[in-house]
């Protein structure tokens, strides 16, 4: 039975299955992209389509970077090529395996940590200078504890970059995205029908969090907001209507 104590285990298994089936976010960067990054040419995304501005990162050489829920061999190798000291945390064995494959291919060492980001993070205070978290908080029920943990493990003047779903994707049910059928918040742990729907679709256990919820939780954790931009799904009816469904957020720990 899936409940609040074990739902993230289910998500870990589901993501492993997606990776085995060629999930977009598990396809590692190419050798050519890695070499270009070593020359300072790179693109990294937090959300489906828009690249993160380079100035959001600042100089990365020597920086302690945590790629949070960011396995797959996509961002970690780029940070490594740019000279960062990189740790990748993910709860999917297969996503971590992708990171290992790229590290072996390119001949570098990278720290890999399997951990559940809905729980206290396994790092000491002030362990990192930058945390990079692509869209993934939609797979945890509570976001406040995570942002407090990120604040704790960042050093003074540390940067948190996160991509978040704003909840709009959860109000439409049909694949054509033309009919509003769900109310918010979307929480399958509170609604058996939602859980049944997600299980049928092999979608993992997902939760809606509005942009307002994220910003409030980040500010309450102690962060200062410095930048934000919105993004679409990259495909589908909502995208065609240019309806923002994601946001990329930059905050700092002063």
């Amino acid at each position: 039975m899936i409940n609040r104590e074990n739902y993230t285990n289910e998500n870990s298994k589901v993501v492993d299955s997606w990776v085995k089936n060629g999930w977009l976010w598990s396809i590692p960067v190419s050798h050519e992209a890695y070499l270009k990054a070593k020359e300072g040419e790179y693109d990294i995304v937090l959300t489906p389509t828009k690249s993160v501005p380079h100035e959001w990162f600042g100089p990365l050489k020597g920086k302690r970077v945590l790629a949070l829920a960011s396995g797959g061999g996509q961002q970690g190798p780029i940070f490594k090529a740019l000279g960062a000291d990189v740790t990748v945390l993910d709860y999917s064995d297969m996503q971590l395996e992708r990171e290992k494959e790229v590290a072996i291919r390119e001949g570098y060492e990278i720290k890999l940590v399997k951990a559940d980001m809905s729980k206290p993070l396994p790092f000491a205070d002030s362990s990192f200078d930058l945390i990079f978290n692509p869209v993934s908080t939609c797979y945890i029920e509570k976001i406040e504890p995570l942002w407090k943990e990120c604040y704790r493990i960042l050093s003074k003047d540390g940067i948190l970059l996160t991509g978040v779903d704003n909840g709009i994707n959860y109000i439409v049910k049909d694949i054509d995205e033309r009919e509003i059928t769900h109310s918010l918040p979307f929480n399958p742990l509170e609604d058996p029908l939602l859980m049944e729907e997600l299980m049928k679709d092999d979608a993992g256990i997902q939760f809606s969090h509005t942009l307002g919820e994220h910003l409030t939780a980040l500010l309450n954790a102690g962060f200062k907001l410095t930048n934000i931009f919105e993004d679409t799904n990259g495909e589908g009816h909502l995208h065609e209507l240019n309806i923002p469904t994601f946001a990329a957020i930059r905050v700092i720990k002063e």
Side-chain angles (χ1 to χ4, degrees):
M1 180 179 179
I2 297 172
N3 54 43
R4 282 186 170 83
E5 282 66 50
N6 65 14
Y7 76 89
T8 51
N9 294 334
E10 178 67 22
N11 279 342
S12 177
K13 291 186 290 185
V14 168
V15 172
D16 281 348
S17 71
W18 294 347
V19 176
K20 292 176 183 177
N21 289 323
W23 188 36
L24 173 64
W25 303 112
S26 68
I27 300 173
V29 296
S30 67
H31 175 63
E32 292 72 23
Y34 177 78
L35 292 180
K36 284 185 178 180
K38 290 180 76 70
E39 300 299 321
E41 297 180 38
Y42 66 94
D43 286 304
I44 299 181
V45 296
L46 283 164
T47 54
T49 73
K50 293 185 180 180
S51 298
V52 179
H54 288 190
E55 57 266 27
W56 278 29
F57 298 103
L60 284 165
K61 188 173 183 179
K63 290 289 183 66
R64 301 167 298 166
V65 173
L66 173 63
L68 176 63
S70 185
Q74 297 187 343
Q75 296 93 27
I78 301 299
F79 291 131
K80 194 69 180 181
L82 293 167
D85 176 14
V86 183
T87 300
V88 178
L89 181 150
D90 208 287
Y91 205 31
S92 161
D93 289 319
M94 292 299 298
Q95 285 289 73
L96 292 173
E97 185 62 28
R98 291 291 179 268
E99 290 290 339
K100 185 177 179 180
E101 290 170 2
V102 179
I104 292 172
R105 186 189 75 196
E106 304 299 344
Y108 61 76
E109 293 185 1
I110 191 167
K111 294 182 281 292
L112 304 178
V113 178
K114 182 178 180 180
D116 179 355
M117 70 176 179
S118 72
K119 306 292 194 300
L121 299 175
F123 306 110
D125 295 357
S126 305
S127 291
F128 299 99
D129 304 303
L130 184 145
I131 297 175
F132 186 88
N133 171 235
V135 176
S136 55
T137 48
C138 51
Y139 297 102
I140 61 174
E141 183 185 19
K142 303 293 183 182
I143 54 174
E144 296 87 351
L146 174 64
W147 298 142
K148 289 179 180 178
E149 278 291 280
C150 287
Y151 189 89
R152 178 184 67 80
I153 66 174
L154 273 174
S155 60
K156 186 178 184 299
D157 299 321
I159 300 167
L160 167 64
L161 306 180
T162 181
V164 302
D165 185 295
N166 66 14
I168 290 177
N169 279 314
Y170 293 97
I171 68 176
V172 292
K173 179 179 179 181
D174 64 307
I175 194 169
D176 293 328
E177 302 175 340
R178 294 176 183 273
E179 183 181 358
I180 296 175
T181 57
H182 291 140
S183 61
L184 296 181
F186 185 100
N187 186 336
L189 296 180
E190 300 288 351
D191 187 335
L193 292 179
L194 293 181
M195 183 67 76
E196 181 179 342
E197 180 182 318
L198 291 171
M199 293 297 97
K200 179 181 178 181
D201 294 340
D202 191 34
I205 301 170
Q206 301 189 35
F207 306 87
S208 68
H209 303 293
T210 66
L211 182 56
E213 288 176 46
H214 276 291
L215 292 176
T216 299
L218 287 163
L219 295 174
N220 286 343
F223 285 107
K224 176 182 177 181
L225 176 66
T226 61
N227 297 92
I228 188 170
F229 66 77
E230 294 181 305
D231 198 4
T232 68
N233 287 333
E235 60 181 1
H237 188 55
L238 295 178
H239 168 73
E240 292 167 359
L241 296 177
N242 197 34
I243 295 176
T245 49
F246 295 93
I249 301 170
R250 183 184 190 270
V251 293
I252 61 172
K253 176 180 178 177
E254 291 186 310

